[in-house]
Amino acid sequence: MSQATIEGEFDYIIVGAGSAGCVLANRLSADPTKRVLLLEAGGKDNWIWFHIPVGYLFAIGNPRADWLLKTEPEPGLNGRSLNYPRGKVIGGSSAIRPPESCSSARW
């Protein structure tokens, strides 16, 4: 991954381009007198599986799209840990979750 140099001064710096970070950056940048920097540790959402409904099956658990976090061992689960999918892309975890509905579907 290449590193970019960011120069200048900013009025706001937002760390994390998940759903909330992107909305906040959009709202703050509506004022043309303010400079907003949005930082994301993950990559772009240019992978095909981010853009189709069944793509979450390929994104969750894939190091390209998921930070591969796990919970601490839980006594109530016999000491097991659970996978805790977190999106590693612009859009955050919303990018790797299955859609609740598909508005283009016709029933």
Side-chain angles (χ1 to χ4, degrees):
M1 181 179 282
S2 64
Q3 292 186 356
T5 302
I6 301 169
E7 296 181 14
E9 293 184 11
F10 297 90
D11 297 298
Y12 302 100
I13 299 173
I14 301 165
V15 178
S19 299
C22 288
V23 169
L24 183 59
N26 183 17
R27 296 277 174 96
L28 292 172
S29 65
D31 181 349
T33 66
K34 302 296 181 192
R35 291 197 57 195
V36 179
L37 174 64
L38 179 60
L39 299 173
E40 171 58 45
K44 296 179 182 178
D45 67 345
N46 59 357
W47 191 32
I48 183 77
W49 298 116
F50 292 135
H51 302 284
I52 59 174
V54 76
Y56 75 95
L57 295 171
F58 299 94
I60 293 176
N62 186 314
R64 178 176 180 172
D66 188 350
W67 289 107
L68 303 175
L69 300 177
K70 287 187 162 291
T71 64
E72 291 294 316
E74 295 289 334
L77 293 174
N78 229 8
R80 291 177 291 162
S81 295
L82 300 175
N83 292 331
Y84 192 63
R86 302 282 88 196
K88 186 179 181 181
V89 64
I90 293 175
S93 298
S94 296
I96 66 170
R97 288 198 182 117
E100 294 297 321
S101 65
C102 199
S103 60
S104 62
R106 300 190 190 258
W107 303 102

